[in-house]
Amino acid sequence: MGKPKISSDWMAGCAGCHMSLLDMDERLAKVVELADIRSTPITDFKVPDVSGVDVGVLEGGINNTANEEVALRMRSRCKILVALGDCAVFGGVPAMRNFFTIEESLRRAYVETESTDGSGKIPDDSELCVPTKVRSLQEVVPVDVFVPGCPPDADTIFYVLSELAQGRIPDMKGDKLDWH
Amino acid sequence: MVTVTIDGKQIEVPEGITVLRAAQSAGINIPTLCDHPHLTPYGGCRLCLVEVEGARTLQPSCTLPVNNNMVVKTNTQKVLDARKFVLTLIFSERNHFCPYCQVSGGDCELQNAAYHENMTHWPLTPNWQPFAMDASHPYIILENNRCILCRRCVRACGELIGNYTLGFEERGAQSLLVADTGVPLGESTCISCGSCVQVCPTGALIDRWSAYRGHDEQAEQTQTICVGCSVGCGIDVFTRDNNLLRIDGNWDAPVNEGIICEIGRFKPMAEKCDRIATPMVRKNGSLKATTWNEALKVVSAELKTLKGKSDGVAAVISTRQPIEAMVNFKALFADALGNSLVTTTEEGLFTESASKLADSLGSAFEGKLTDMLEADGFMVLGTDLVHDHQVAGFFIKRVLGNGPRLLVLDSDENSLNPLANKVLQNKKGTSEDALTALSAAVVKLGLAKKASTIKASDLDSAASKTGLKSEDYLDAAFVIAGAQKPVILYEKGVSPAVLKEFAQLVGASLISVKGKANSLAAAQLGLEKPAKVGAQKALVVALGDDELSQKMIKDFEKIPFKVVIASSASPLTAMADVVLPAANWLEQEGHYLSLDGRLQKANRSLTPAAEVRPTAEILLAMAESAGVKLNSDWSEELEQRVALTEIVK
């Protein structure tokens, strides 16, 4: 059978959830004993196996077409999809952009920004991804496990990964949710 | 009584109570959001839905009255699913993104409700409609994006305070909490009592000062008494690392039951003052920092030379000081040193006449604040309940819409006039004639509850002396004498003896609002003399955190040796010879006698800076330094004379 395979990736997130994952410190060695970590944005292999993995973990929301591709790719290549962190669970901080139109946001970022001299141009190369409304992961693909937190603390992430590594769906309640 | 079965538990409850209250009385917890024990039920949030046997749909337990033999289930799968759905709808409605909110992490009832149901997320796309944030108010921020439309604030503003500033405009998804007809909160009729902030379950209504400075869990909470006026409201003071976070009304306090006013809630945060950190003594023309020993030596040297001289020291204490300080003050300056001018900053202005009346009657004659809670008619005589003693004003304002009526008698424009059923603005100096006219009117209408020496025929002449018409007095008489349980509130400038007669005539409870926090205690200790400066050689002002009037400061200037015990710098400390740093009201404990005789203990919630001390201790040290021993047992002191209102411990 072999060890369960885990892959992670990130989209419109700050990488904080992956940093929190690393915060489990030496317990990472235990997780690696139980599971085969195939690819993450912070290791050498970045892309989940084409042949598929058992658990996919996604950090960050979806705020452009490139993120959509990452989300769809992970969903199609994993059996259980985990939304890690508030951005993936409901949009998080980047989702505040939704209170403005995309034009307003692009103008603020490229033209009105303090670090340009007023002759800023909004990039429109056809090879660039297109910004979209910021969405949570479940608005784009079906999600199996939600791990809220900004970031979820290392104990919670260790619990989630070790449960999944042993073939169980983690039971998110009590202090796994109320982590303050 | 009816029998109700909730989750298999059979209980007996009074008829007419709601299923929610019945469950709570049996220790069964049904989650709620819009419900609040001090507000009438609204039934808007739908979180309290329960299964009732025989009912077609789930029922909101907060508004459903119990029926005999009702069978209720509060945690079936259907109910749990409904709760998750209700919370999903609430969360997806507005900007309920917890990470950016300062109540997230324990102080948000919405978040806590979701955690209670073990919700990790909500499965509906949020409605991305931005709502306005109103930051126009000096103390309160209204963030509509976090509002769950529970209307607790609207109910509090109306039912608890009677101000009716908050309301809702538009409907459905557009529903918006607004002030008045949709004006910025800072430009509205809001009186800054902060009750809305205290009842808001989310971070929609927050106070600027305490936001982001810590969760309730991280703060220390002290139950104490507000010293802002003589009402004596119970308050909860939240502090963190010896800093004041915020002040809430204590829901369990018998006096105010959770409500307080701007003066108790927000003024302590807004006040900026120059605290005095060490004792100071004037040397070569200017005040220099020194030690307590040095400062007290200078004071006692002067006091010792004046011992036995009745006009040696002019001694004045603030009525914001606790009984412990007042007792030490009197024992030292009046009893031990034999001075005659020993009084308070109020000079007995608010209590002297009433105290004398009690002395002559040999008994108390005033009523209690609780009388206001059952009153069906009010008369307010020459006192401003909108700016001072505000909570007493709230007791009146919040019932005026439901039957009780208000009569105002004042020779000046009174701030309650817009709400009064009848206003009598009599000529200055004619208050006794006004009461005669009013009594005559009562007699004329046959509404007198006891025999009176004033006759109906006295009406016209008395009325004309006050510059008002007889018809005005007849209208007014209906308001006050037509009530079964009227309450009369007065301040000063009217003879209490005349008022007492009038109160008996109409069967009213008579209450004087007095002055500051310990006004009545000062009266009981006989500290009611006018501060008329004669040939005194020394002045001692135990000011604490109070302010002295310009007139008094001017009068005191000529006294050669001045000792000021104060918390902050002021023109008074600037002209002192010795300044002793005093704790403010939060930094000391002590007892207070409220306006209706309730003896309450104020507890300390902050530690003062190293050299700052409570006034009671300073006076004790001053006495010791002057070779005077003070008795610390003050329990008998308050009973030295008949109290004008019964003292309740």
Side-chain angles (χ1 to χ4, degrees), chain B residues 80 102 125 131 135 148 171 190 242 253 262 295 327 338 346 360 363 372 379 382 405-406 409 432 440 552 596 599 639:
Chain B
L80 295 175
Q102 85 287 358
T125 299
F131 286 85
I148 59 169
R171 317 175 182 168
C190 171
N242 208 34
E262 176 186 7
V327 159
E346 278 178 14
S360 67
S363 67
M372 292 184 76
M379 179 165 151
R405 294 187 298 165
L406 170 64
L409 172 59
E432 280 183 37
M552 265 196 177
D596 68 346
L599 184 63
E639 266 115 64

Side-chain angles (χ1 to χ4, degrees), chain B residues 266-517:
Chain B
F266 292 125
K267 278 270 178 321
M269 327 287 198
E271 262 158 11
K272 294 191 184 350
C273 50
D274 201 356
R275 289 300 294 269
I276 299 171
T278 68
M280 294 190 280
V281 168
R282 193 171 290 276
K283 287 191 182 121
N284 302 324
S286 62
L287 284 168
K288 303 258 187 321
T290 183
T291 62
W292 274 99
N293 273 337
E294 277 307 307
L296 288 173
K297 262 200 210 135
V298 174
V299 174
S300 59
E302 188 70 28
L303 291 183
K304 278 190 182 136
T305 68
L306 298 169
K307 191 168 180 172
K309 296 204 171 96
S310 73
D311 66 343
V313 185
V316 179
I317 189 166
S318 155
T319 40
R320 277 173 64 96
Q321 287 300 319
I323 292 172
E324 287 83 345
M326 288 188 172
V327 159
N328 285 352
F329 173 80
K330 181 180 177 211
L332 173 56
F333 293 107
D335 304 337
L337 298 178
N339 290 297
S340 59
L341 181 46
V342 179
T343 185
T344 72
T345 47
E346 278 178 14
E347 305 178 82
L349 204 58
F350 300 101
T351 55
E352 210 214 343
S353 329
S355 299
K356 285 213 176 90
L357 179 60
D359 286 336
S360 67
L361 291 171
S363 67
F365 65 93
E366 283 198 356
K368 299 284 165 198
L369 279 173
T370 42
D371 295 340
M372 292 184 76
L373 303 177
E374 293 156 35
D376 60 345
F378 299 97
M379 179 165 151
V380 170
L381 239 153
T383 181
D384 181 359
L385 294 178
V386 168
H387 297 100
D388 300 312
H389 308 104
Q390 291 188 32
V391 171
F394 298 161
F395 291 162
I396 298 177
K397 283 162 58 176
R398 69 190 189 185
V399 296
L400 287 183
N402 291 333
R405 294 187 298 165
L406 170 64
L407 164 65
V408 175
L409 172 59
D410 198 339
S411 52
D412 288 316
E413 181 118 9
N414 189 294
S415 42
L416 278 177
N417 284 355
L419 299 176
N421 294 88
K422 183 69 191 175
V423 174
L424 293 173
Q425 193 166 336
N426 59 317
K427 262 193 353 223
K428 267 201 171 40
T430 63
S431 57
E432 280 183 37
D433 294 311
L435 285 169
T436 303
L438 196 52
S439 305
V442 169
V443 171
K444 184 162 186 177
L445 292 172
L447 293 172
K449 294 205 171 79
K450 81 166 233 260
S452 169
T453 49
I454 298 172
K455 299 187 283 293
S457 51
D458 294 329
L459 174 54
D460 293 336
S461 60
S464 64
K465 284 193 198 136
T466 68
L468 294 168
K469 299 200 214 71
S470 301
E471 288 79 58
D472 289 320
Y473 285 98
L474 289 167
D475 290 339
F478 265 123
V479 175
I480 192 65
Q484 297 306 311
K485 293 187 187 169
V487 172
I488 301 174
L489 291 133
Y490 72 105
E491 190 187 278
K492 57 175 164 48
V494 186
S495 155
V498 170
L499 257 178
K500 178 173 164 297
E501 282 305 304
F502 177 72
Q504 286 184 330
L505 186 71
V506 298
S509 169
L510 181 63
I511 304 172
S512 67
V513 293
K514 322 247 172 7
K516 294 194 182 178

Side-chain angles (χ1 to χ4, degrees), chain B residues 202-216:
Chain B
T202 65
L205 280 163
I206 57 180
D207 83 89
R208 292 169 179 272
W209 184 264
S210 69
Y212 296 103
R213 293 182 74 200
H215 291 126
D216 283 358

Side-chain angles (χ1 to χ4, degrees), chain A residues 22-34:
Chain A
L22 291 176
D23 266 348
M24 69 170 78
D25 300 327
E26 71 278 5
R27 291 178 289 179
L28 198 48
K30 277 223 190 85
V31 175
V32 168
E33 256 177 61
L34 296 169

